[in-house]
Amino acid sequence: MKNLKVSFKLKIEFPKEYFVEIESDEYREGRISVNKIDDGFMAEIDIVQIETRKIWKHVKSIFGRETAHDALEDASFYLGKFLRGESID
């Protein structure tokens, strides 16, 4: 039996969307959209209606992150601050 060399290239598609439950709001949730751009990754942070996924409030856009994980982590931080009523500037 011959040895076969098999390689797989995992295709990661963007944008990726992540949804975050807002405990005090049964009609809306947080949405973080991570996307690949020329100089790395970016994320958009929104509050959306659960039923329609329409944007209720745009929270913030962040740019220039080295990895998708970094963009998601930073966006989660800003979403948490926004939901606690803290400044996100």
Side-chain angles (χ1 to χ4, degrees):
M1 180 176 254
K2 292 183 178 181
N3 289 336
L4 296 175
K5 183 177 180 183
V6 178
S7 63
F8 293 96
K9 191 168 195 174
L10 182 61
K11 183 177 180 184
I12 300 174
E13 299 203 11
F14 289 95
K16 288 185 177 266
E17 291 187 332
Y18 302 89
F19 293 92
V20 179
E21 179 183 349
I22 301 173
E23 291 178 3
S24 62
D25 192 333
E26 64 182 281
Y27 301 105
R28 291 179 283 270
E29 62 190 349
R31 178 179 67 194
I32 299 171
S33 300
V34 176
N35 208 349
K36 183 154 181 43
I37 56 176
D38 291 338
D39 64 345
F41 293 86
M42 61 90 58
E44 290 194 32
I45 308 155
D46 300 302
I47 305 299
V48 298
Q49 297 173 358
I50 291 173
E51 217 171 274
T52 63
R53 298 281 162 93
K54 289 187 177 182
I55 296 174
W56 180 78
K57 168 101 175 130
H58 175 70
V59 176
K60 188 175 184 72
S61 297
I62 56 174
F63 299 90
R65 301 315 192 261
E66 288 187 20
T67 67
H69 182 287
D70 290 343
L72 178 59
E73 192 172 73
D74 290 353
S76 298
F77 172 76
Y78 285 116
L79 178 59
K81 285 184 73 157
F82 175 81
L83 293 173
R84 290 188 299 273
E86 300 174 13
S87 173
I88 55 170
D89 293 326

